[in-house]
Amino acid sequence: MRKHIEIVLPVWDEAPNILPLVEALDAATADLRTRFRFSYLFVNDGSTDGSRTAIQKLCAERDDVRAVHLIHNFGHAAAVRCGLAHTTADAVVLMDADLQDSPAALPQMLGSWSQGAKTVVAVRGQREERDRWLFHLFYFILKRLSPGHPPFGTYCLLDRAVVERLIALKESTRYFPTLVSFASESIATVRVDRKARGNGASRVGRTGLLSLAITAFLNASDFPVRVASVMGIFCSLLALGGLSAILGVKLFTDLAIPGWALITTAVFFGSGVQLVCLGVIGEYLSRIYQEIKQRPAYFVESADNSQHHKKVA
């Protein structure tokens, strides 16, 4: 019996890319269909640009395409979580619907999986996006916060066992690569050059990317809060040294208290460090607050070509 491979595609306002993406996936998997049975699962994350209509048209025309429609935009992490919860395939391929990740990597991914790899990720090579240096800086820092795992994004192949482990993880503030690394015994890699978006610039924007980067850093390690503690200790020692100098001048000389500029600088420096430390701690507290609310990650409005679907998760 052929193994079932489902390609899960989170979608948010990608109407022009839907049909070209499916055509590219069909072409990339054509030679593999004697060994594997492929299907496509679109997770429509509250699109407002006609993506839903394009997906429903595909579902009406093809039995191997199905969709889950969320009631509004819950974010990429929630859409990925929804896709994993709604598939029962032997292996799942996750990729974005913006045509940046090449389907041509699928044969190599499936080859690694057939040889026993449970997790196969696309390690990004050359990038055609703007601000490439920001992505390189992000992965440089993340690699040092969480060593031992290759830097990757959404594009990956996950064995059923890994999918089940990911479904069991219930945290609401999620950075997907960190969770995949946590749920995987080992990770095989495939190099994939990342193309420019098929439909203009990313709608996430720099603010959204910054938020994602902060989530990634905080989820990967408790290093930021340790840095805050070290900075606090350093400033305390600096203040103690300044106080000792002032007392020495006061007790053992007749000079007026010198060094007011140094003291003022130290005060401002210490205040700044305290604010940084409070900010770091606040980021952690904010995420703790999100967790204890225990809100569902998403709500499902409807599903196409699906015999069953979960309303919430």
Side-chain angles (χ1 to χ4, degrees):
M1 180 181 294
R2 293 179 300 167
K3 295 288 188 179
H4 179 200
I5 312 298
E6 185 142 63
I7 302 174
V8 175
L9 304 158
V11 174
W12 180 39
D13 290 353
E14 299 286 357
N17 296 332
I18 301 298
L19 185 57
L21 174 61
V22 171
E23 291 174 346
L25 289 169
D26 285 343
T29 59
D31 295 336
L32 302 171
R33 292 180 180 267
T34 57
R35 299 168 51 204
F36 304 104
R37 178 170 65 89
F38 290 92
S39 63
Y40 307 130
L41 171 59
F42 287 93
V43 182
N44 174 25
D45 190 21
S47 297
T48 59
D49 71 334
S51 293
R52 179 169 184 156
T53 301
I55 293 170
Q56 289 178 323
K57 185 174 184 296
L58 279 171
C59 290
E61 296 172 348
R62 300 177 52 156
D63 293 333
D64 61 344
V65 178
R66 60 195 187 100
V68 176
H69 304 281
L70 307 186
I71 61 172
H72 58 71
N73 179 252
F74 287 92
H76 186 267
V80 169
R81 184 173 178 175
C82 176
L84 294 178
H86 284 79
T87 181
T88 58
D90 298 301
V92 173
V93 175
L94 273 165
M95 64 186 301
D96 293 331
D98 55 11
L99 299 178
Q100 287 191 279
D101 295 317
S102 172
L106 286 175
Q108 191 175 351
M109 285 183 165
L110 287 165
S112 295
W113 179 65
S114 298
Q115 294 172 8
K118 299 296 185 182
T119 302
V120 186
V121 303
V123 176
R124 293 168 179 174
Q126 295 181 352
R127 312 179 70 106
E128 296 183 17
E129 300 126 316
R130 297 184 306 167
D131 301 328
R132 289 189 296 270
W133 68 274
L134 290 175
F135 289 97
H136 291 308
L137 177 62
F138 166 73
Y139 284 116
F140 175 82
I141 297 173
L142 185 62
K143 186 175 181 180
R144 277 145 185 81
L145 290 180
S146 182
H149 300 297
F152 61 96
T154 303
Y155 194 15
C156 63
L157 181 148
L158 304 173
D159 184 81
R160 184 72 225 167
V162 178
V163 172
E164 293 292 343
R165 294 170 195 157
L166 289 172
I167 293 173
L169 300 176
K170 299 302 183 182
E171 58 257 52
S172 58
T173 53
R174 303 163 69 90
Y175 179 63
F176 181 69
T178 299
L179 299 184
V180 170
S181 298
F182 177 74
S184 303
E185 302 96 323
S186 60
I187 298 178
T189 61
V190 173
R191 182 181 174 86
V192 178
D193 290 339
R194 191 159 172 81
K195 302 177 182 178
R197 277 180 48 83
N199 184 28
S202 171
R203 287 172 300 282
V204 175
R206 292 178 179 175
T207 301
L209 292 175
L210 177 60
S211 177
L212 178 63
I214 292 173
T215 298
F217 296 150
L218 298 185
N219 283 9
S221 171
D222 59 358
F223 180 76
V225 77
R226 290 184 179 179
V227 169
S229 300
V230 171
M231 292 174 68
I233 293 172
F234 173 77
C235 287
S236 297
L237 294 175
L238 185 65
L240 181 61
L243 178 61
S244 300
I246 293 171
L247 289 175
V249 171
K250 178 68 175 178
L251 296 174
F252 302 110
T253 72
D254 295 328
L255 299 174
I257 298 177
W260 63 270
L262 175 61
I263 296 171
T264 304
T265 302
V267 169
F268 280 112
F269 178 71
S271 299
V273 171
Q274 290 177 25
L275 291 175
V276 170
C277 295
L278 287 174
V280 171
I281 295 171
E283 290 290 344
Y284 278 101
L285 290 176
S286 172
R287 281 152 179 78
I288 293 171
Y289 175 63
Q290 295 299 325
E291 297 295 336
I292 63 175
K293 286 193 294 187
Q294 296 185 340
R295 289 181 179 175
Y298 57 85
F299 288 99
V300 173
E301 177 188 348
S302 61
D304 297 321
N305 277 4
S306 181
Q307 298 300 320
H308 65 279
H309 64 274
K310 302 176 182 179
K311 286 291 184 180
V312 299

